[in-house]
Amino acid sequence: MDGQYFYQLKVLSPDGSIRKVLLQQERIAIGSRHHADITDPELFPDHAEIRYESGEWVIERNHPRAPVSFLGITISLKKMNHGDCIHLGPVQITMYRIPAEAESNPSPVRSESIKTHYVLQFLSGACKGRMLILHEGTYTLGRGSGPGRIDIPDPYISKNNTRIRLSDSDIMIEDLGSANGTRIGSGRINEARAVNTCTLTVGRTRMRVRIVSEPEGKRREDPDPTRIRHPSHYQRLRRSPPR
C-alpha cells in the first residue's frame, strides 16, 4: 500500500484469461513453478519477480533467456509505474494504482476473472459500416478465417497483419511484420497501447475498437464473435442502459 492507494497487477495469459493480483507482499514470484504467485506454463520456471524496495515496485528478470520487455525493448530490471505493461513472452502484466477504499479487506495475492465487451467498427474499406462484438482476448487481423481471426477482404493487408489484445480497458496493438504496416493516426507502429478506444488502419481499411459498458448479467453472448455483421444486427444485440 502507498498512502491511500494499493497497487494491482492485471495478468493476461495466452489463452485470453485474465487475473487481478493485489500487491500486498514484498515479493511476487513469476514463473511456471506451481508455488509461484503468478504462474503460467508458458513461462520459465523462475521467469521474473516483482518486489518492493526503497519505496518502489520493480520487476527483474531472473533467467538470462527469459523474455521480458517493455514497449518492445528487452529489460532486465525496471521500476514499475501506474499503467506500465510488461510482456513476459506470451504473458502480459499491467500495473495499476487503485484507491484504498476500493479494497476494504485485501488479500496478499487474489485472482479474479473479469470480462469486457468491445465493439470493432469498420470506418472505411470493403467492410465499411459493419461491426464486430468482441470480448477480452487476442485476435488476429488479416486474410483468412480461423479461431481468433478476423478476416478482412482487403488485398493490401497481409495474411497475418495485426494482433489485437483486449483486456479490461486496455487495447494492445501489435504489427506482425506486415508488408504495409499498421498505423495509428498517421504513424506506423510496431506496438502500441490505448485505453478505452483506438482507431487504426491496416492496408486500406480503417477501423475503431472501443469499450462498451453494459451490465454483464444483461449481456447476450454472440456465438460467433469474429463474424462481421451489419450494424442492424449489433443494434439488436444491444441493451438499454440501466436507469
Side-chain angles (χ1 to χ4, degrees):
M1 183 173 175
D2 180 12
Q4 299 302 311
Y5 294 93
F6 290 104
Y7 285 90
Q8 180 176 263
L9 302 176
K10 184 174 60 182
V11 184
L12 175 62
S13 298
D15 62 2
S17 63
I18 296 177
R19 291 164 286 164
K20 288 181 178 180
V21 177
L22 197 62
L23 297 180
Q24 284 293 101
Q25 59 194 52
E26 293 188 353
R27 179 181 180 275
I28 302 294
I30 306 171
S32 60
R33 298 186 188 276
H34 70 277
H35 56 73
D37 300 300
I38 298 175
T39 181
D40 192 283
E42 298 292 332
L43 298 174
F44 279 68
D46 295 302
H47 198 107
E49 70 175 24
I50 295 174
R51 64 179 182 271
Y52 190 74
E53 62 179 28
S54 303
E56 298 177 339
W57 287 101
V58 298
I59 184 168
E60 183 174 15
R61 181 174 62 177
N62 285 341
H63 193 286
R65 292 191 292 112
V68 181
S69 64
F70 175 66
L71 297 178
I73 300 173
T74 299
I75 59 173
S76 295
L77 179 69
K78 182 190 182 303
K79 172 187 174 184
M80 293 193 71
N81 300 303
H82 172 72
D84 280 356
C85 181
I86 308 296
H87 289 265
L88 297 91
V91 177
Q92 173 185 313
I93 294 179
T94 306
M95 171 175 274
Y96 290 100
R97 189 177 68 176
I98 59 176
E101 57 268 22
E103 294 290 344
S104 58
N105 187 24
S107 57
V109 178
R110 188 190 67 188
S111 296
E112 161 184 350
S113 296
I114 56 176
K115 289 186 177 180
T116 305
H117 182 193
Y118 287 83
V119 170
L120 178 64
Q121 180 181 9
F122 290 90
L123 306 177
S124 66
C127 299
K128 181 179 179 180
R130 298 190 176 185
M131 298 182 182
L132 285 173
I133 298 176
L134 304 176
H135 302 288
E136 289 178 337
T138 302
Y139 300 87
T140 299
L141 306 180
R143 290 183 287 109
S145 59
R149 296 184 59 86
I150 298 175
D151 182 21
I152 303 174
D154 183 337
Y156 294 93
I157 69 174
S158 301
K159 180 179 180 180
N160 298 307
N161 201 99
T162 306
R163 179 180 293 124
I164 298 179
R165 293 189 181 96
L166 305 177
S167 59
D168 201 9
S169 59
D170 282 344
I171 304 169
M172 297 297 301
I173 309 294
E174 179 186 358
D175 186 78
L176 299 176
S178 62
N180 293 317
T182 301
R183 296 181 179 274
I184 295 180
S186 59
R188 185 165 176 168
I189 61 97
N190 292 321
E191 186 177 285
R193 171 180 174 264
V195 177
N196 294 328
T197 185
C198 179
T199 300
L200 64 148
T201 302
V202 294
R204 295 188 177 180
T205 301
R206 184 166 168 261
M207 64 197 76
R208 178 184 297 119
V209 59
R210 59 185 176 87
I211 190 172
V212 175
S213 299
E214 293 185 21
E216 187 172 334
K218 295 186 178 181
R219 188 181 303 152
R220 183 185 301 175
E221 298 291 337
D222 188 345
D224 183 8
T226 60
R227 182 159 64 93
I228 297 174
R229 302 180 184 277
H230 192 271
S232 61
H233 174 86
Y234 169 70
Q235 293 295 334
R236 291 196 300 272
L237 289 177
R238 293 191 63 179
R239 289 284 188 263
S240 300
R243 296 181 179 179

